[in-house]
Amino acid sequence: MQYVSTRQDKTPASFITAMQRGLAPDGGLYIPERFPLMDVKQFDLNSSYSEFAAELLRYFMEGDLGDQLNEICKDAFNFPIVMSSIDDKTNMLELYHGPTLSFKDFGARFLAECMQRVLSDKIMTIMVATSGDTGSAVAAAFYKMKNIRVIVLFPKGQISQRQQHQITCWGDNISALAVEGSFDDCQQLVKAAFANPLWQQHTHLSTANSINIARLLPQVVIYAYASLKFQAEHGESAGFIVPSGNLGNVTAAYWAKKLGFPLREIAIATNANHVVEDYLHEGQLNPRPSVKTLANAMDVGNPSNFERLQLLHPEIDQFRREVQAFSVVDEQIRFAILDAYQQHQLLLCPHTATAYFMRQHLSNTPWFIVATADPCKFETIIEPLLDIHVPVALQLQELLNRPTHFVTIPPTGLVPDTDR
Ligand SMILES: *Cc1c(COP(=O)(O)O)cnc(C)c1O
């Protein structure tokens, strides 16, 4: 499989090149040059998740690391994916049982395993902007890897204390920068570093944001696996409600559907940052500054992966047929957290709560609520609301015992940059 840019430049790149570059030279995002319609019945649901993943990803990585895929997937996906049902037509897909307790572990760990296997003797610098969970997932995945340096930029004061702890507790080859601005500012700084010839000349720069193809492909596996398993067990297909911000996770769901996996429909739940819902009404994308919400990892006003989503449905009418989006504001997030606990004794993180809320407005057909983070990362929101103690997962407890360190920088940046 070769990869091309979402923009003008259709020069194909290999998986490894696309992964190492992160962004295509014309500023676009890499996408597979085609989506083969797969015979999904050939996949063996009795195999382990990592074997299933290797089987599927082989199509996308033949010639590039394809022969090491079994090992890569075994090392990357060493934690469970949990499917459960909460009522007759509503199911949960828990993607937060990895080392840093969000779904970001799937992509970050896969990327790290691939990157490690193609390193030269030059030191590579990975720069990553985080809205809350990417930073810790990437830091944990690359921690102590030889010849890789990681710089994480997070918006100061806009993420939960535990999220911040998980980003700043590493040391060694991981540096954390607190940006006095929003996630969009962090993302802008990463883009500026990429565009800066000085950085390009003196560092081997790459990014681990969800613009990186090697983070997106392993997320396709999640939806391929869950949709196929649900259909095998229930004889019908399910829809998926995906809590979304930068639109990486939901793009992966659309790609799985495009490959022929049985996702009946896909719904995008956002917080008060409602650019996708606006796009459905207005027919053009109007990025705006992000607003701070309880679901902070989704505080994105200019979603990078929109380009990929739009390219799948280039006509606005087609986009409207295939994409539904619903903006859930903080009051509704609080309501959903309360309701889930009272009705089902279920603890939801604020991101997952947006999907739970949206569920109540959707058809009486089977749906998955995609649960993107462990509620224990957001105890300061949940505990006062429910008046309970949220149990701390073991992975987090270990990190909370470590000391933290970070450097604060202004939103105008750490690189000399003439355009802003
Ligand atoms: C990153 C994140 C999201 C949003 O995912 P995107 O791929 O950016 O749309 C949702 N929930 C949690 C917990 C996250 O960390």
Side-chain angles (χ1 to χ4, degrees):
M1 179 72 73
Q2 299 281 304
Y3 296 83
V4 293
S5 167
T6 44
R7 299 191 187 165
Q8 309 80 1
D9 185 358
K10 297 301 171 199
T11 322
S14 69
F15 170 79
I16 291 176
T17 304
M19 169 178 74
Q20 288 179 328
R21 284 188 187 150
L23 216 56
D26 65 352
L29 277 57
Y30 280 111
I31 53 171
E33 69 179 348
R34 67 199 152 78
F35 289 92
L37 192 59
M38 291 183 168
D39 173 16
V40 299
K41 288 192 199 68
Q42 67 177 311
F43 290 96
D44 181 7
L45 286 167
N46 295 316
S47 58
S48 68
Y49 182 80
S50 67
E51 286 164 346
F52 181 95
E55 208 51 50
L56 175 54
L57 292 172
R58 214 174 299 289
Y59 287 87
F60 293 93
M61 292 167 63
E62 40 181 309
D64 298 84
L65 294 172
D67 53 335
Q68 297 178 57
L69 259 174
N70 286 333
E71 201 186 293
I72 291 173
C73 291
K74 207 161 144 245
D75 291 344
F77 310 129
N78 60 350
F79 53 91
I81 169 169
V82 178
M83 296 160 76
S84 63
S85 121
I86 59 175
D87 68 33
D88 195 26
K89 298 277 190 231
T90 310
N91 306 276
M92 299 287 288
L93 179 60
E94 296 177 14
L95 304 180
Y96 57 75
H97 298 290
T100 63
L101 305 175
S102 85
F103 81 86
K104 302 290 201 307
D105 285 322
F106 284 90
R109 292 181 63 80
F110 185 78
L111 173 70
E113 291 301 330
C114 291
M115 206 73 117
Q116 190 186 23
R117 284 169 169 84
V118 298
L119 277 183
S120 63
D121 47 3
K122 289 212 187 83
I123 293 185
M124 171 165 256
T125 301
I126 293 182
M127 243 186 156
V128 60
T130 184
S131 57
D133 292 317
T134 290
S136 54
V138 168
F142 285 94
Y143 180 52
K144 292 203 164 166
M145 271 189 185
K146 279 211 182 71
N147 285 350
I148 297 192
R149 194 162 61 130
V150 176
I151 303 174
V152 181
L153 293 87
F154 68 90
K156 190 171 187 180
Q158 312 230 353
I159 66 178
S160 88
Q161 271 160 9
R162 286 184 175 170
Q163 283 177 315
Q164 177 165 331
H165 197 107
Q166 284 185 306
I167 292 168
T168 54
C169 70
W170 300 95
D172 200 79
N173 62 331
I174 314 288
S175 316
L177 298 176
V179 177
E180 289 172 317
S182 66
F183 168 69
D184 296 322
D185 293 320
C186 297
Q187 193 153 253
Q188 205 51 49
L189 286 174
V190 173
K191 284 189 185 154
F194 265 85
N196 188 303
L198 240 130
W199 275 75
Q200 281 301 352
Q201 256 168 35
H202 296 288
T203 42
H204 251 53
L205 201 57
S206 188
T207 173
N209 274 103
S210 58
I211 55 175
N212 196 306
I213 189 73
R215 264 192 55 190
L216 225 48
L217 291 177
Q219 289 173 214
V220 176
V221 180
I222 296 171
Y223 295 98
Y225 181 81
S227 64
L228 210 55
K229 202 159 173 99
F230 185 88
Q231 193 185 47
E233 283 168 8
H234 297 83
E236 59 181 329
S237 56
F240 289 77
I241 313 167
V242 186
S244 297
N246 217 11
L247 303 176
N249 202 11
V250 79
T251 295
Y254 277 100
W255 285 3
K257 189 169 196 287
K258 180 106 177 159
L259 292 170
F261 288 94
L263 290 86
R264 191 194 63 238
E265 40 186 321
I266 297 167
I268 301 180
T270 69
N271 57 24
N273 293 279
H274 43 66
V275 279
V276 188
E277 204 185 325
D278 290 352
Y279 178 76
L280 288 169
H281 297 299
E282 294 161 11
Q284 64 181 39
L285 187 73
N286 293 311
R288 49 189 97 218
S290 57
V291 297
K292 186 169 153 61
T293 75
L294 295 174
N296 65 290
M298 294 158 42
D299 291 349
V300 182
N302 188 7
S304 305
N305 284 290
F306 186 81
E307 276 186 51
R308 285 182 167 130
L309 202 58
Q310 191 180 33
L311 211 66
L312 274 187
H313 321 98
E315 304 294 333
I316 178 69
D317 292 338
Q318 189 190 1
F319 194 100
R320 285 181 177 134
R321 269 197 306 279
E322 297 287 327
V323 179
Q324 45 190 328
F326 192 89
S327 159
V328 179
V329 299
D330 279 357
E331 249 345 275
Q332 296 166 322
I333 289 176
R334 284 201 191 88
F335 169 82
I337 292 174
L338 257 169
D339 190 71
Y341 187 67
Q342 287 169 350
Q343 305 291 329
H344 308 286
Q345 285 73 56
L346 198 64
L347 288 178
L348 300 180
C349 88
H351 312 81
T352 309
T354 64
Y356 181 94
F357 191 88
M358 188 176 182
R359 165 71 190 102
Q360 318 199 335
H361 294 265
L362 295 171
S363 61
N364 188 27
T365 47
W367 285 97
F368 271 104
I369 291 167
V370 177
T372 48
D374 192 309
C376 76
K377 293 175 86 157
F378 306 94
E379 88 293 358
T380 52
I381 295 166
I382 298 167
E383 290 186 345
L385 206 57
L386 303 183
D387 198 19
I388 56 160
H389 171 72
V390 180
V392 180
L394 211 67
Q395 297 99 305
L396 177 60
Q397 194 54 63
E398 278 171 20
L399 298 185
L400 291 177
N401 293 334
R402 301 167 69 118
T404 61
H405 181 73
F406 62 88
V407 173
T408 302
I409 62 166
T412 42
L414 67 172
V415 287
D417 178 8
T418 47
D419 339 293
R420 27 180 313 146

